[in-house]
Amino acid sequence: MVVRMADRILVPFEGEGSGTAELSWGQREMWRAIQRRGSSLAIGGVVPLPAETTVEDAAAELRFMLSRHQSLRTRLLLEGDGRERQVVVASGEACLEVIEAGDGDPAEVAEAVFSRFHSVEYDYVNEWPVRMAVIRHRGALAYMVVMYCHLAIDGGGVAALIADMATMDPATGRSQTPVRGLQPLEQARRESTPSGRQRSETALRRWEHLLRAI
């Protein structure tokens, strides 16, 4: 199916925390899996939209996600010695695609966009982990397509993100609810400390005991 892109809207975002750090253990394990598979292992979905949804509403959601969560404004730094590090930025711009369904079935157009988002490997150095598009049919938005790079989020994280989106105040585009859990930079910092390494070694010994028992 051929779909025509009507527009690419650049959505500015700004959040707390920035810097460069080693990959966390979880990020490192996922990066190895991505390299083995030759795929971003992206996860996402197609969401029907209420008839009154505007492009501005979709842009506000994208801005909210990236502004609030460090992992969604994190990219890789691939260094010459083969090491990978994570780079979190405090501000930037993300792309929202607006796709015209034309005379086509908007559901089919949404599925085609989903397939494209899922199959094209991410540019881990230059691209944000979130891809978002809205499908417009006869002047109204019909569907939203969202895809996340697995390096930034997993299935449980998507569920938590959906719940977090419900806390966004449409008037301000912000949430009064504190972000739960460690952000990536703090996670990596803690894991690099002696106590973090000791905790890891304890967990590994515990898993070794359990696996041998099994």
Side-chain angles (χ1 to χ4, degrees), residues 34-83:
I34 286 172
Q35 290 180 303
R36 287 195 302 269
R37 294 282 295 275
S39 166
S40 301
L41 304 177
I43 52 179
V46 176
V47 182
L49 294 175
E52 66 275 12
T53 305
T54 66
V55 172
E56 289 74 18
D57 293 333
E61 290 192 14
L62 182 59
R63 180 181 299 109
F64 176 82
M65 287 192 291
L66 273 76
S67 297
R68 187 163 163 84
H69 296 286
Q70 280 187 13
S71 64
L72 299 182
R73 45 189 168 87
T74 297
R75 295 184 289 199
L76 287 187
L77 174 63
L78 304 179
E79 302 189 289
D81 59 1
R83 296 173 59 209

Side-chain angles (χ1 to χ4, degrees), residues 111-123:
E111 288 298 332
V113 174
F114 176 90
S115 178
R116 170 168 61 88
F117 277 3
H118 188 269
S119 61
V120 175
E121 188 171 2
Y122 277 75
D123 179 347

Side-chain angles (χ1 to χ4, degrees), residues 3-17:
V3 296
R4 179 171 62 86
M5 182 180 296
D7 207 353
R8 292 173 63 92
I9 298 174
L10 293 179
V11 179
F13 60 84
E14 184 175 354
E16 295 182 1

Side-chain angles (χ1 to χ4, degrees), residues 40-208:
S40 301
L41 304 177
I43 52 179
V46 176
V47 182
L49 294 175
E52 66 275 12
T53 305
T54 66
V55 172
E56 289 74 18
D57 293 333
E61 290 192 14
L62 182 59
R63 180 181 299 109
F64 176 82
M65 287 192 291
L66 273 76
S67 297
R68 187 163 163 84
H69 296 286
Q70 280 187 13
S71 64
L72 299 182
R73 45 189 168 87
T74 297
R75 295 184 289 199
L76 287 187
L77 174 63
L78 304 179
E79 302 189 289
D81 59 1
R83 296 173 59 209
E84 304 89 13
R85 307 184 78 194
Q86 59 174 310
V87 180
V88 180
V89 303
S91 62
E93 292 180 326
C95 177
L96 171 65
E97 298 187 14
V98 182
I99 309 293
E100 292 287 353
D103 295 330
D105 182 339
E108 293 182 1
V109 174
E111 288 298 332
V113 174
F114 176 90
S115 178
R116 170 168 61 88
F117 277 3
H118 188 269
S119 61
V120 175
E121 188 171 2
Y122 277 75
D123 179 347
Y124 307 101
V125 174
N126 300 301
E127 184 179 0
W128 304 117
V130 185
R131 293 172 174 170
M132 180 182 287
V134 287
I135 313 303
R136 187 158 51 199
H137 184 235
R138 296 176 180 173
L141 298 187
Y143 292 93
M144 175 183 289
V145 184
V146 186
M147 192 68 61
Y148 306 96
C149 177
H150 214 341
L151 189 60
I153 195 168
D154 60 12
V158 170
L161 180 61
I162 292 172
D164 189 57
M165 291 293 296
T167 71
M168 183 183 78
D169 182 347
T172 64
R174 298 183 178 275
S175 172
Q176 297 300 317
T177 304
V179 177
R180 297 180 180 179
L182 293 178
Q183 296 280 332
L185 292 177
E186 178 63 16
Q187 179 79 29
R189 188 196 68 78
R190 291 195 183 188
E191 290 174 353
S192 67
T193 63
S195 62
R197 290 192 294 270
Q198 182 179 10
R199 187 178 302 112
S200 172
E201 292 167 0
T202 301
L204 289 173
R205 287 195 298 269
R206 174 63 174 166
W207 274 108
E208 181 180 12

